[in-house]
């Protein structure tokens, strides 16, 4: 690993504007499912890295739950020291190819340059470092030299489970990851569309983990196919990383009509088509030729939007009950908090209509029980409560409605019930300061304990939980622990 010797260009931020990768032209990218962004030229990236001011107090680092040492790798990239840059990046982040594509980048929201200029293009720099490292075959397995003789089961293979598993394997434990789906990755695999992250990135990382010694068992639902008792007998420790997969529903009149689906009932099919399980035309739940309404204005809604466009939807509306966010930070949302401003994701750029301050009253069906429209009205926020705006009722034709309203916590019953695990007041798995549940040798990390959150928090929790498990199994640990269960984002 190289040694920093100060900034390479102390005036970079005065000379250069922020630039990030171009998105491929909309008419072209809608014809395929490949990632939307073009590669970013590495010499231009060095210019972008030179905009970093190497702040005395790097707020970017504070804004990142992983504690990524961002000014260091900015400097190394500017100096053309790419191998050192990936070492520095991997020191705090197991999967920069995931975060570099999927994280909303609280680091950029906290970047000091962002006070009066566009922030440093941290996420672009991150993803380019790791993509280049893979191209150069620098991402090699890190095989433990000493084995502990202890075994750990990780239940769930999303980003939290994968991070915990990689850390624990490297610490010398025999780790088995259980996944109930047929492929590894959790939401990364079947929630995130191919056009946001091609799944070859997961496969490549899983291959590295297998070479390090992590064992993966797919198609096994722990609590159903294997009992909680069996898992506890077979392993010295168990890490629960099953995510917050219980979706929020909209139990209004007409909810049982044919044509209303949860986002996570819809998105996995499109991803399966890209895995080659069947053709796009054979996708069981598809928006092809249909009038689509998405309820929920967040990232999952945008994932549905981009998927519907690629399937050939006739029209797409995306409903959001909140008002349209401002173009600039509001007074109540100052730097370095995450900017709650109007954003145009790649999916929004591709078409569809975003409808804000709207509430759905009822789903309307035809005589055969199929959805034909929804009834809605405008709302306004009064003293923190939504009130109907008089005389704004309307109907909108819809063949298919996709509910993308977030998740309320882990699925109840099953494994959690068998283990007699305590939940907290928000229905997440309760844990102490060390990610330990109320049941001996059972730990929890990621959305299952925190509730629905960002990928970067999932990886950070996986790393911290692994450190806690390692310390418990061996009496000490050299693994990093970037977050505590009680840590919260800069919001
Ligand atoms: Fe560089 Fe921005 Fe971090 Fe300062 S806050 S060190 S300018 S990336």
């Amino acid at each position: 690993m190289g040694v920093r010797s100060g900034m390479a260009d102390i005036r970079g931020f005065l000379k250069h504007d922020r630039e990030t990768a171009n998105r491929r032209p909309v008419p072209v990218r809608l014809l395929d499912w490949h990632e939307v962004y073009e590669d970013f030229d590495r010499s231009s990236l060095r210019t972008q890295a030179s905009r970093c001011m190497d702040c005395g107090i790097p707020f970017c680092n504070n804004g990142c739950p992983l504690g990524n040492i961002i000014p260091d790798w900015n400097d190394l990239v500017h100096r053309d020291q790419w191998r050192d840059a990936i070492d520095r990046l991997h020191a705090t982040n197991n999967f920069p190819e995931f975060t570099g594509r999927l994280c909303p980048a609280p680091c950029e929201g906290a970047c000091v340059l962002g006070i009066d200029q566009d922030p440093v293009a941290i996420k672009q720099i991150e993803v380019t470092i790791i993509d280049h490292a893979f191209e150069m075959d620098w991402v090699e397995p890190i095989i433990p030299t000493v084995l502990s003789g202890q075994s750990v089961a990780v239940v769930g293979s999303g980003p939290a489970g994968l991070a915990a598993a990689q850390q624990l394997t490297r610490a010398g434990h025999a780790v088995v990851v259980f996944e109930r789906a047929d492929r590894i990755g959790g939401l990364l695999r079947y929630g995130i569309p191919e056009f946001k992250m091609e799944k070859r990135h997961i496969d490549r990382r899983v291959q590295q983990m297998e070479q390090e010694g992590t064992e993966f068992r797919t198609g096994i639902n722990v609590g159903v196919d294997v009992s909680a008792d069996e898992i506890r007998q077979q392993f010295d420790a168990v890490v629960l990383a099953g995510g917050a997969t219980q979706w929020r529903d909209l139990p209004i009149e007409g909810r049982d009509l044919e044509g209303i689906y949860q986002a996570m009932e819809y998105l996995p099919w499109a991803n399966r088509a890209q895995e080659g399980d069947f053709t796009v035309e054979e996708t069981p739940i598809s928006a092809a030729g249909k009038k689509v309404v998405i309820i929920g204005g967040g990232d999952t809604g945008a994932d549905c939007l981009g998927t519907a466009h690629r399937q050939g939807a006739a029209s797409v509306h995306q409903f959001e009950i909140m008002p349209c966010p401002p173009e600039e930070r509001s007074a109540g949302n100052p730097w370095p908090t995450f900017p709650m401003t109007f954003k145009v994701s790649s999916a929004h750029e591709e078409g569809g209509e975003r409808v804000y301050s709207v509430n759905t009253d009822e789903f309307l069906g035809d005589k055969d029980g199929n959805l034909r429209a929804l009834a809605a009205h405008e709302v306004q926020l009064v003293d923190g409560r939504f009130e109907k705006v008089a005389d704004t009722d309307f109907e909108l034709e819809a063949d298919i409605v996709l509910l993308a309203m977030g998740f309320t916590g882990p699925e109840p019953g099953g494994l959690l019930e068998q283990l007699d695990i305590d939940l907290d007041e928000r229905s997440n798995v309760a844990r102490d300061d060390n990610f330990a549940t109320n049941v001996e040798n059972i730990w929890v990390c990621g959305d299952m304990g925190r509730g629905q959150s960002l990928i970067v928090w999932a990886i950070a929790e996986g790393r911290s939980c692994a450190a806690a498990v390692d310390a418990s199994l061996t009496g000490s640990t050299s693994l990093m622990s970037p977050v505590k269960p009680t840590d919260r984002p800069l919001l």
Side-chain angles (χ1 to χ4, degrees):
M1 202 176 275
V3 177
R4 291 182 70 206
S5 54
M7 285 175 70
D9 183 356
I10 57 169
R11 298 176 65 80
F13 69 98
L14 295 172
K15 295 189 282 192
H16 308 293
D17 291 333
R18 174 184 162 103
E19 274 182 53
T20 54
N22 290 325
R23 294 169 179 163
R24 295 189 290 129
V26 170
V28 174
R29 70 191 197 226
L30 284 182
L31 295 175
D32 63 48
W33 293 76
H34 296 305
E35 286 181 7
V36 162
Y37 287 94
E38 294 174 349
D39 288 342
F40 197 75
D41 165 62
R42 275 190 293 119
S43 70
S44 304
L45 194 83
R46 291 180 61 198
T47 304
Q48 288 303 305
S50 79
R51 296 182 69 236
C52 177
M53 303 184 293
D54 193 20
C55 303
I57 299 175
F59 276 76
C60 55
N61 169 264
N62 295 351
C64 174
L66 284 164
N68 280 340
I69 314 163
I70 294 160
D72 278 23
W73 31 269
N74 286 342
D75 188 52
L76 290 164
V77 164
H78 181 66
R79 292 171 188 276
D80 216 11
Q81 295 176 14
W82 294 84
R83 181 113 206 199
D84 289 337
I86 186 56
D87 287 347
R88 201 62 57 94
L89 179 50
H90 266 149
T92 55
N93 185 355
N94 297 66
F95 313 123
E97 69 276 28
F98 303 162
T99 47
R101 287 176 169 80
L102 304 175
C103 182
C107 54
E108 291 189 4
C111 172
V112 177
L113 198 54
I115 295 175
D116 64 353
Q117 284 195 37
D118 290 331
V120 174
I122 300 169
K123 195 165 129 171
Q124 185 68 58
I125 296 169
E126 176 183 37
V127 78
T128 308
I129 294 171
I130 180 62
D131 285 356
H132 183 55
F134 270 114
E135 273 164 32
M136 300 298 289
D137 285 331
W138 292 339
V139 184
E140 293 167 336
I142 300 172
I143 297 166
T145 48
V146 180
L147 298 180
S148 69
Q150 309 265 10
S151 61
V152 184
V154 175
V155 183
S157 71
L162 290 179
Q166 185 164 56
Q167 293 293 92
L168 286 163
T169 300
R170 289 177 175 178
H173 306 297
V175 177
V176 178
V177 178
F178 291 89
E179 168 57 55
R180 66 181 175 181
D182 55 349
R183 293 183 177 93
I184 291 297
L187 271 185
L188 292 174
R189 174 74 64 177
Y190 286 128
I192 299 292
E194 188 81 354
F195 57 83
K196 271 175 71 176
M197 187 179 76
E198 292 173 7
K199 302 304 176 281
R200 62 190 173 88
H201 300 297
I202 308 173
D203 298 336
R204 197 168 54 179
R205 191 57 84 166
V206 166
Q207 195 179 11
Q208 180 207 30
M209 291 178 67
E210 285 175 331
Q211 289 166 347
E212 291 171 349
T214 305
E215 185 187 334
F216 292 96
R217 295 185 195 164
T218 55
I220 297 178
N221 191 350
V222 179
V224 177
D225 304 313
V226 183
S227 74
D229 280 347
E230 286 173 282
I231 282 282
R232 292 191 71 195
Q233 280 160 16
Q234 288 171 22
F235 294 90
D236 297 304
V238 178
V239 174
L240 304 178
T245 52
Q246 186 74 23
W247 48 57
R248 185 170 285 112
D249 214 311
L250 188 58
I252 57 176
E253 191 69 31
R255 172 64 182 88
D256 54 354
L257 289 166
E258 196 61 39
I260 303 168
Y261 304 101
Q262 284 285 347
M264 279 306 293
E265 291 176 308
Y266 168 70
L267 293 169
W269 292 116
N271 278 315
R272 286 187 177 280
Q274 295 310 307
E275 296 279 359
D277 291 354
F278 38 75
T279 66
V280 172
E281 292 71 30
E282 291 167 346
T283 303
I285 302 175
S286 171
K290 294 182 177 159
K291 299 185 191 88
V292 181
V293 177
I294 299 161
I295 298 182
D299 288 344
T300 308
D303 293 345
C304 292
L305 178 65
T307 300
H309 279 136
R310 280 162 183 74
Q311 289 173 336
S315 67
V316 191
H317 288 79
Q318 187 177 11
F319 281 15
E320 169 58 52
I321 194 168
M322 295 294 288
C324 182
E327 296 280 344
E328 303 286 337
R329 286 177 183 273
S330 65
N333 177 213
W335 175 88
T337 57
F338 187 75
M340 308 297 277
T341 50
F342 183 75
K343 297 179 184 76
V344 180
S345 74
S346 68
H348 295 127
E349 194 183 58
E350 291 161 2
E353 191 173 334
R354 299 163 88 171
V355 188
Y356 289 94
S357 300
V358 66
N359 184 51
T360 306
D361 288 313
E362 185 180 351
F363 299 117
L364 306 169
D366 62 18
K367 61 180 174 26
D368 298 322
N370 296 313
L371 177 74
R372 67 168 179 81
L374 44 73
H377 62 260
E378 291 176 23
V379 292
Q380 59 187 356
L381 264 173
V382 180
D383 297 331
R385 297 172 65 90
F386 292 107
E387 286 188 1
K388 180 174 179 175
V389 179
D391 302 323
T392 58
D393 296 278
F394 67 95
E395 280 188 19
L396 182 66
E397 284 184 32
D399 304 313
I400 179 169
V401 161
L402 303 171
L403 302 176
M405 303 167 60
F407 301 89
T408 57
E411 286 169 38
L415 178 63
L416 298 184
E417 197 173 284
Q418 286 176 25
L419 288 170
D420 207 12
I421 291 272
D422 284 349
L423 303 180
D424 64 18
E425 67 284 355
R426 291 164 60 228
S427 308
N428 300 316
V429 172
R431 65 264 182 93
D432 66 12
D433 271 358
N434 276 318
F435 298 88
T437 71
N438 61 305
V439 182
E440 195 178 7
N441 292 331
I442 309 275
W443 315 73
V444 66
C445 61
D447 287 2
M448 201 171 210
R450 172 169 291 271
Q452 182 188 359
S453 186
L454 308 180
I455 180 171
V456 68
W457 280 98
I459 298 173
E461 285 221 356
R463 288 172 67 84
S464 296
C465 181
V469 172
D470 186 38
S472 169
L473 291 176
T474 65
S476 67
T477 186
S478 56
L479 297 178
M480 291 173 73
S481 182
V483 287
K484 290 205 167 300
T486 47
D487 286 347
R488 288 288 172 259
L490 279 174
L491 283 176

